[in-house]
Amino acid sequence: MAHLRLLAPTGDPARRFTLRYDVIQREVPDHRALVSVRSDWDAGELNGPPLMLGEVRAGATALSVERPGGSAWDGFASVLRLGMRHIAECTDHLLFVLALLLPAPLVVLGHVPRARWGGYAGVRRGATRLLRVVTAFTVGHSLTLAAAAGGWVHVPSAPIEVLIALSILVSALHALRPLFPGREVLVAGGFGLVHGLAFASTIAGYGIDPWHTVLTVFGFNLGIELMQLAVVAATVPWLLLLARTPAYGAVRVAGAAVAGVTALGWIGERAFGLANPVGPWVEGAAAHGPVLVVALAALAFGATAWDRGRGTAPARAVENI
């Protein structure tokens, strides 16, 4: 295997050239070489299969290459969309964040190990806690994404995938009963470091120069954040509304149970190669995300209307005990 770096002569375009290749055909006349482009940042082609350009063979040892014009914006927009699509399709990452957000609108009663989730914490306190958790997760995965994409950190993907499933299990157990009350930010940031290593595997190996690597990391991370914020913005208002009703206890427990069972299935699958019957169901449900958000909103409005119909005043914010 030979790795070559070919540079265009000074002043000549690097996107339009003639590739001549005849070193093998002189000795092996029936040798054929397939020429393809693995990545083209300016054209926005990074994550797809190699693009076939042509074939070089005896009698036709020159291949004319003419790549369409591109720009830095085309490449940046491509990795931005890639980041948004990645987080939208990675159910495990979103499930971790949502499970950690489930108890955020609530106060803690008592102290660990006898602590339990109490009543509604209020819009301001709940929204602040939600924002801090999401921000900590963002900072965590941004750090390791940049470090791994820059080649400073190398971790096998298999243990990372197991740790991601474990992070979902921990956040699900915390949603059932407070395991680390007041430390959600630290947990979100710590597990965010793990999730960032998984994000980095998506943009690894593009073979681009350092400047384009910086733009790729920034655009990909920005795409992740935009989609993540869209998911949070679509779900958090209804969680805050539901938290003011008695129905939220059942919603929290059900959501934590789904996240926990799914995490156990992924741990068995990723760590021990066991069959995971739960995963396809969760992936299928995640594919209908807008429907789930509408259902959550309907549940929030329905529970609120039911309480008002019974003459029950909405829950007021309470202090930690």
Side-chain angles (χ1 to χ4, degrees), residues 248-286:
Y248 192 65
V251 172
R252 173 178 57 82
V253 171
V258 170
V261 171
T262 303
L264 288 174
W266 278 330
I267 291 174
E269 178 184 34
R270 298 173 181 180
F272 307 106
L274 302 177
N276 181 13
V278 182
W281 287 90
V282 175
E283 297 289 348

Side-chain angles (χ1 to χ4, degrees), residues 44-161:
E45 298 172 359
L46 291 173
N47 197 44
L51 178 64
M52 192 62 61
L53 299 182
E55 180 185 71
V56 178
R57 63 185 186 278
T61 57
L63 177 66
S64 179
V65 177
E66 292 191 15
R67 298 294 297 149
S71 66
W73 169 249
D74 290 335
F76 185 81
S78 177
V79 294
L80 180 70
R81 291 191 297 268
L82 178 62
M84 296 179 68
R85 186 171 67 251
H86 179 76
I87 197 66
E89 295 174 351
C90 288
T91 310
D92 50 2
H93 299 294
L94 290 178
L95 195 58
F96 166 73
V97 176
L98 292 175
L100 204 56
L101 293 181
L102 273 176
L106 306 176
V107 297
V108 179
L109 302 180
H111 302 280
V112 178
R114 296 183 178 181
R116 58 186 177 87
W117 294 114
Y120 178 54
V123 174
R124 182 176 181 179
R125 187 188 302 176
T128 300
R129 191 179 299 167
L130 292 166
L131 180 61
R132 292 176 63 192
V133 168
V134 173
T135 301
F137 181 69
T138 297
V139 172
H141 73 66
S142 297
L143 290 175
T144 47
L145 171 61
W152 302 319
V153 178
H154 299 280
V155 181
S157 61
I160 293 300
E161 294 300 322

Side-chain angles (χ1 to χ4, degrees), residues 129-320:
R129 191 179 299 167
L130 292 166
L131 180 61
R132 292 176 63 192
V133 168
V134 173
T135 301
F137 181 69
T138 297
V139 172
H141 73 66
S142 297
L143 290 175
T144 47
L145 171 61
W152 302 319
V153 178
H154 299 280
V155 181
S157 61
I160 293 300
E161 294 300 322
V162 175
L163 286 175
I164 288 175
L166 180 63
S167 72
I168 299 171
L169 179 60
V170 171
S171 61
L173 293 175
H174 178 67
L176 289 173
R177 196 174 187 89
L179 299 180
F180 36 83
R183 296 181 176 86
E184 291 87 352
V185 171
L186 297 178
V187 174
F191 279 124
L193 297 173
V194 176
H195 286 245
L197 295 174
F199 292 152
S201 64
T202 304
I203 59 175
Y206 282 165
I208 52 182
D209 58 70
W211 168 242
H212 284 129
T213 298
V214 172
L215 290 179
T216 299
V217 171
F218 177 69
F220 185 76
N221 201 48
L222 181 60
I224 289 175
E225 300 319 314
L226 290 176
M227 182 56 68
Q228 183 175 280
L229 288 176
V231 172
V232 171
T235 56
V236 163
W238 314 124
L239 294 180
L240 292 174
L241 184 60
L242 266 172
R244 305 184 69 182
T245 71
Y248 192 65
V251 172
R252 173 178 57 82
V253 171
V258 170
V261 171
T262 303
L264 288 174
W266 278 330
I267 291 174
E269 178 184 34
R270 298 173 181 180
F272 307 106
L274 302 177
N276 181 13
V278 182
W281 287 90
V282 175
E283 297 289 348
H288 299 84
V291 177
L292 296 178
V293 172
V294 171
L296 180 64
L299 179 61
F301 281 121
T304 302
W306 174 264
D307 281 355
R308 289 179 177 176
R310 297 172 57 194
T312 304
R316 295 183 177 182
V318 298
E319 297 293 332
N320 284 16

